[in-house]
């Protein structure tokens, strides 16, 4: 088991960068859908409500944060503060938008908000990894 741990441990920095990139990409897609209305989501889809988000609304503000900060997370620029703000936004989204519906995340639809919150909280402590603009700026 020790050999297996050593094998995987050497890939940890790369996995951190990949995790940061994918988290940023997934948050960025929500911002693109809310603000730029792309792609158009078919009616009947669980995410069709994203087509109707108004810019000057709470969801519109969340969309702007997800669009701008998701892009920064994708690049790994200012990763720690950006991820910390995104973690707060996701916690806010959960308690404002999901928790009032039901105590259980599976019922209230808040599973992704919780997952994004803790993913971003982790990134705010771990940083962007070796393949990030932050890492290039340090050199």
């Amino acid at each position: 088991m020790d050999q297996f741990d050593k094998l995987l441990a050497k890939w940890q920095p790369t996995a951190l960068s990949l995790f940061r990139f994918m988290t940023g990409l997934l948050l960025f897609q929500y911002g693109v859908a809310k603000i730029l209305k792309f792609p158009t989501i078919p009616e009947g889809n669980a995410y069709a409500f994203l087509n109707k988000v108004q810019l000057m609304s709470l969801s519109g503000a969340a969309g702007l944060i997800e669009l701008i900060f998701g892009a920064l997370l994708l690049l790994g620029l200012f990763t720690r503060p950006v991820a910390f703000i995104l973690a707060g936004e996701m916690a806010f989204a959960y308690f404002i938008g999901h928790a009032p519906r039901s105590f259980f995340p599976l019922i209230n639809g808040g599973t992704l908000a919780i997952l994004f919150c803790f993913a971003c909280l982790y990134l705010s402590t771990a940083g962007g990894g070796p393949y990030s603009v932050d890492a290039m700026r340090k050199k």
Side-chain angles (χ1 to χ4, degrees), residues 4-106:
F4 186 66
D5 286 347
K6 284 181 184 177
L7 176 70
L8 292 179
K10 80 176 186 180
W11 291 100
Q12 186 272 336
T14 302
L16 174 60
S17 291
L18 185 60
F19 180 69
R20 176 205 29 90
F21 181 84
M22 291 308 300
T23 302
L25 181 64
L26 292 173
L27 284 165
F28 181 73
Q29 79 170 342
Y30 282 98
V32 169
K34 289 175 185 174
I35 303 305
L36 304 177
K37 310 294 185 222
F38 179 81
T40 303
I41 302 164
E43 287 301 319
N45 185 294
Y47 293 100
F49 72 93
L50 296 176
N51 294 333
K52 298 176 181 124
V53 171
Q54 298 295 314
L55 184 59
M56 294 302 174
S57 68
L58 199 54
S59 293
L64 279 174
I65 291 169
E66 292 157 4
L67 182 70
I68 295 165
F69 285 28
L72 290 172
L73 207 57
L74 265 167
L75 298 171
L77 181 59
F78 309 121
T79 301
R80 290 177 195 270
V82 162
F84 187 76
I85 291 167
L86 283 166
E89 185 223 351
M90 290 295 109
F92 184 80
Y94 180 78
F95 286 110
I96 297 298
H98 298 282
R101 294 186 208 157
S102 171
F103 176 77
F104 302 102
L106 195 59

Side-chain angles (χ1 to χ4, degrees), residues 112-130:
L112 278 176
I114 294 170
L115 190 58
F116 277 132
C117 177
F118 282 94
C120 289
L121 189 62
Y122 171 71
L123 288 170
S124 73
T125 62

